[in-house]
Amino acid sequence: MTKRSNYFVEGLQGAGKSTFVRMFSDQRKDYTVFREGDYSPIDLAWCAYVTEEAYDGILESYPSLVEEIKSKTVMEGSQRIICYTQILTDIPGFHQNLEKFEIYNANLDRESFENVVCERFLKWKGEGQIFECAFFQNIIENQMLYFMMSEEEILSFYRRLGRILADKPYKIIYLDVEDTGAGIEIIRKERADDKGNELWLPIMLRYLEESPCGKAHNLTGIEGLVAHLEERKALEHRIMQEVFKENAVILKAKDYEMTDVLKRL
């Protein structure tokens, strides 16, 4: 029996990935969807990745949240994965503290980071699964902004990942934003509170500006963000062209018909 394919939905911030995943999964009701912050067999975005010792320390630090933390924790071998953003609490510093245990933002050294990512893909045996932002975004942002890896080094990593995925059924669905600046303007308005206070843009700019790459290349403000995202988009296109060409489907962001998309997959 042929295995059902898996789908990685990718694209720049503001490309409409969440909307696409919702619409696409409505057409694949027997598929399992993994969004950022969920426990995923592959991705660790918005999840703390800790040893048993560190896990016990977290439980001791937040006695009032022990049951909630346990309910959002999955054991993988000697590691504990805490889906901490799913825990609602007013305790000051809780989410900031758990964020330090993510595998991104150079919390792990480059070799350890790449090994964790590759080992999870290697162990993955799934079929009929849809992933949001599990293939490019978080990995490449870490490689570009924190490890300051060259394009060739990042390409080499994805060739390694391509070899791991050689016998697995998957497609990359890439939502291509043609005008990065316009995309940022849209998302900054969409992700604001009911009083018009922007929520997404200040966080994104701080993330960029405080990164080693942001500091080294003086990437500041909207102009710096657009420059970084344009560079990332070009790199992602190159990776798809040179490594995943047979498995990549590129769509114009927010300008597609789902019936046409289904025919292409």
Side-chain angles (χ1 to χ4, degrees):
M1 181 181 296
T2 303
K3 289 186 176 181
R4 291 176 297 163
S5 188
N6 302 286
Y7 299 97
F8 297 103
V9 181
E10 294 292 330
L12 298 183
Q13 291 89 331
K17 296 183 292 294
S18 297
T19 300
F20 181 90
V21 167
R22 176 178 54 78
M23 293 171 59
F24 186 55
S25 61
D26 282 345
Q27 304 296 320
R28 296 281 193 274
K29 294 186 181 299
D30 57 335
Y31 274 54
T32 303
V33 178
F34 297 95
R35 296 179 174 85
E36 288 185 295
D38 292 342
Y39 171 69
S40 163
I42 293 175
D43 188 33
L44 289 169
W46 305 111
C47 293
Y49 185 73
V50 301
T51 62
E52 183 177 1
E53 181 180 2
Y55 181 69
D56 290 341
I58 291 170
L59 295 180
E60 290 177 7
S61 298
Y62 301 101
S64 64
L65 295 177
V66 166
E67 293 307 315
E68 286 186 80
I69 293 172
K70 287 183 176 179
S71 71
K72 297 298 181 181
T73 299
V74 177
M75 184 185 302
E76 283 191 3
S78 61
Q79 298 294 129
R80 305 292 185 272
I81 298 173
I82 310 170
C83 302
Y84 71 90
T85 57
Q86 297 181 3
I87 299 172
L88 302 180
T89 177
D90 294 327
I91 295 177
F94 173 77
H95 294 102
Q96 291 88 338
N97 183 35
L98 271 289
E99 185 180 4
K100 298 174 184 176
F101 293 98
E102 288 194 25
I103 67 170
Y104 306 102
N105 304 350
N107 290 332
L108 294 181
D109 62 73
R110 175 180 163 182
E111 181 179 4
S112 298
F113 170 75
E114 292 185 355
N115 285 340
V116 168
V117 172
C118 289
E119 285 171 8
R120 291 177 69 77
F121 273 96
L122 188 63
K123 293 177 181 178
W124 175 53
K125 305 295 183 184
E127 63 170 304
Q129 297 177 341
I130 301 169
F131 298 90
E132 180 185 354
C133 297
F135 202 79
F136 284 146
Q137 181 167 292
N138 298 301
I139 296 171
I140 288 183
E141 293 283 19
N142 193 38
Q143 292 174 323
M144 292 180 69
L145 295 180
Y146 283 85
F147 295 143
M148 295 179 67
M149 292 166 58
S150 70
E151 191 168 298
E152 294 304 324
E153 288 174 322
I154 296 174
L155 195 62
S156 177
F157 166 80
Y158 274 95
R159 288 195 178 101
R160 176 184 175 188
L161 202 54
R163 292 191 292 271
I164 290 172
L165 292 171
D167 62 345
K168 302 179 190 291
Y170 71 96
K171 291 286 185 182
I172 301 167
I173 302 175
Y174 192 89
L175 304 179
D176 196 30
V177 176
E178 293 188 342
D179 188 332
T180 304
I184 291 174
E185 290 303 315
I186 292 172
I187 192 174
R188 68 187 293 187
K189 294 175 182 177
E190 289 179 344
R191 299 186 186 179
D193 63 20
D194 54 7
K195 296 180 180 180
N197 297 312
E198 295 185 3
L199 304 175
W200 173 81
L201 185 61
I203 294 173
M204 190 64 197
L205 290 180
R206 186 167 61 250
Y207 172 74
L208 173 70
E209 294 170 358
E210 295 180 359
S211 70
C213 181
K215 292 177 180 178
H217 297 284
N218 195 31
L219 297 173
T220 60
I222 298 293
E223 184 178 343
L225 180 58
V226 170
H228 164 64
L229 292 179
E230 287 284 354
E231 182 179 0
R232 190 188 116 196
K233 180 174 69 171
L235 174 57
E236 290 172 345
H237 273 267
R238 184 182 174 194
I239 292 169
M240 287 187 289
Q241 176 65 29
E242 297 187 21
V243 184
F244 301 104
K245 188 173 183 179
E246 301 303 319
N247 294 86
V249 175
I250 300 175
L251 307 174
K252 186 177 179 180
K254 302 182 181 180
D255 186 16
Y256 53 81
E257 293 292 336
M258 187 55 66
T259 53
D260 295 333
V261 173
L262 296 173
K263 292 175 182 178
R264 296 180 62 182
L265 298 175

